[in-house]
């Protein structure tokens, strides 16, 4: 299929950074060559005005820009399309969220604000810069990306299949119903032309809420009852 204004449906592609474009806590051996080949396919489409490529990073630019440049990631994105956590973003948080963010930074200077991507996507939609239908988030975490997209931005998301995680811990088995992609031309053509099947988010929702139940009641008197109620439970 030729890629042109008529065939490209999703023309705003947003990328996470760790475990998607550079090695991270989940995938420590992400191929630089594979990423380079992917953008050799994508960049000409952007240069022709057919798509826009964005990078969303949940950290201060000063903390991460050196790593981005070392990996050559800055060459793949226009400067104005690279977004980082700013002091203004932190100040605009609700007080309890702002205090939690600052406390996390005190504890870990390399703390990543996973909600930042959702905030940016929601702002882009609210400002009329994108629609949910013409956009896609390329990511890796079923909780921080998948569930957050389902709960907050409503954006379509695609999980990189070699870096699948749950809260940045390797997930031993994929959740059914989601779209998993390889970092290659073929899968990205399917993303751009909207040829992937619509995800069935019931499986993810069931998985997340069962996990929350188990964690909420862990160590309590009804712990065993809760475990019995959620094990083997499937979406309706």
């Amino acid at each position: 299929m030729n890629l042109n204004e008529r065939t490209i449906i999703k023309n705003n592609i947003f990328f996470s950074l760790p475990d998607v474009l550079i090695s991270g806590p989940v995938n420590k051996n992400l191929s630089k060559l594979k990423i380079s080949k992917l953008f050799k396919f994508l960049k000409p489409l952007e240069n022709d005005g057919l798509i826009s490529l964005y990078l969303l990073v949940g950290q201060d630019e000063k903390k991460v820009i050196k790593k981005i440049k070392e990996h050559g990631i800055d060459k793949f994105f226009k400067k104005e399309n690279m977004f980082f956590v700013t002091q203004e973003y932190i100040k605009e948080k609700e007080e309890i969220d702002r205090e939690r963010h600052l406390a996390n930074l005190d504890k870990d200077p390399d703390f990543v604000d996973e909600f930042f991507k959702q905030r940016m996507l929601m702002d882009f939609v609210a400002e009329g810069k994108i629609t949910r239908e013409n956009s896609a988030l390329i990511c890796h975490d079923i909780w921080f990306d998948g569930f957050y997209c389902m709960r907050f931005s409503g954006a379509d998301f695609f999980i990189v299949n070699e870096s699948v995680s749950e809260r940045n811990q390797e997930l031993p088995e994929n959740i059914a119903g989601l779209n998993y992609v390889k970092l290659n031309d073929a899968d990205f053509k399917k993303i751009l032309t909207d040829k992937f099947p619509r995800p069935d988010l019931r499986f993810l929702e069931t998985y997340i809420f069962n996990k929350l139940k188990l964690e909420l009641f862990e160590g309590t008197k009804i712990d065993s009852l809760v475990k019995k109620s959620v094990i083997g439970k499937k979406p309706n």
Side-chain angles (χ1 to χ4, degrees), residues 53-78:
L53 303 172
Y54 301 89
L55 179 65
L56 304 180
V57 185
Q59 292 176 283
D60 186 287
E61 182 176 2
K62 294 177 182 177
K63 293 293 298 182
V64 73
I65 193 64
K66 181 179 179 182
K67 183 182 292 186
I68 287 173
K69 289 183 175 180
E70 286 175 350
H71 286 77
I73 302 300
D74 56 313
K75 296 183 295 185
F76 303 145
F77 298 94
K78 298 176 181 178

Side-chain angles (χ1 to χ4, degrees), residues 10-236:
K10 293 194 173 297
N11 54 15
N12 295 291
I13 309 300
F14 294 82
F15 286 87
S16 298
L17 181 63
D19 294 308
V20 175
L21 297 181
I22 64 174
S23 297
V26 181
N27 187 340
K28 294 178 170 56
N29 297 296
L30 200 61
S31 169
K32 290 183 181 181
L33 180 59
K34 188 180 296 184
I35 300 300
S36 179
K37 285 182 177 179
L38 173 63
F39 278 89
K40 280 183 180 178
F41 163 68
L42 293 173
K43 283 303 290 183
L45 295 174
E46 183 176 50
N47 293 338
D48 289 342
L50 295 174
I51 65 173
S52 295
L53 303 172
Y54 301 89
L55 179 65
L56 304 180
V57 185
Q59 292 176 283
D60 186 287
E61 182 176 2
K62 294 177 182 177
K63 293 293 298 182
V64 73
I65 193 64
K66 181 179 179 182
K67 183 182 292 186
I68 287 173
K69 289 183 175 180
E70 286 175 350
H71 286 77
I73 302 300
D74 56 313
K75 296 183 295 185
F76 303 145
F77 298 94
K78 298 176 181 178
K79 185 173 178 56
E80 62 269 25
N81 285 358
M82 298 168 63
F83 295 90
F84 304 88
V85 168
T86 62
Q87 288 302 310
E88 182 181 6
Y89 164 78
I90 297 172
K91 288 177 182 177
E92 288 177 351
K93 286 177 172 281
E94 297 290 338
E95 183 177 359
I96 187 170
D97 293 326
R98 183 168 61 252
E99 290 177 354
R100 185 182 295 118
H101 183 105
L102 294 174
N104 283 325
L105 278 177
D106 286 340
K107 186 165 51 177
D108 178 10
D110 293 321
F111 165 70
V112 177
D113 185 331
E114 299 289 356
F115 183 72
F116 175 74
K117 286 171 280 188
Q118 301 302 315
R119 179 75 271 161
M120 294 305 303
L121 290 167
M122 289 188 288
D123 286 350
F124 268 72
V125 171
E127 294 166 7
K129 295 178 179 178
I130 65 170
T131 66
R132 292 181 177 88
E133 292 74 24
N134 70 15
S135 306
L137 175 65
I138 313 303
C139 51
H140 71 92
D141 198 275
I142 65 158
W143 195 300
F144 291 144
D145 297 315
F147 179 62
Y148 280 18
C149 280
M150 184 175 70
R151 175 67 178 82
F152 300 108
S153 69
D156 283 345
F157 61 93
F158 297 84
I159 303 288
V160 175
N161 66 356
E162 61 186 90
S163 303
V164 183
S165 68
E166 179 204 322
R167 289 177 286 187
N168 289 323
Q169 299 295 315
E170 186 175 354
L171 193 67
E173 185 176 356
N174 288 353
I175 303 299
L178 306 183
N179 284 321
Y180 300 91
V181 297
K182 297 176 181 177
L183 296 169
N184 61 28
D185 298 9
D187 274 9
F188 272 74
K189 282 181 182 178
K190 288 177 64 178
I191 293 173
L192 296 176
T193 55
D194 202 22
K195 295 301 183 183
F196 273 95
R198 299 309 302 166
D200 186 345
L201 299 177
R202 295 175 302 162
F203 296 94
L204 176 61
E205 184 177 44
T206 298
Y207 178 87
I208 296 292
F209 284 114
N210 283 347
K211 261 306 187 66
L212 288 172
K213 286 179 186 177
L214 289 171
E215 292 172 8
L216 179 62
F217 293 103
E218 186 176 8
T220 67
K221 292 181 179 179
I222 62 171
D223 185 4
S224 60
L225 293 176
V226 172
K227 287 179 179 177
K228 288 180 181 178
S229 74
V230 301
I231 291 173
K233 193 173 183 180
K234 297 180 179 179
N236 297 323

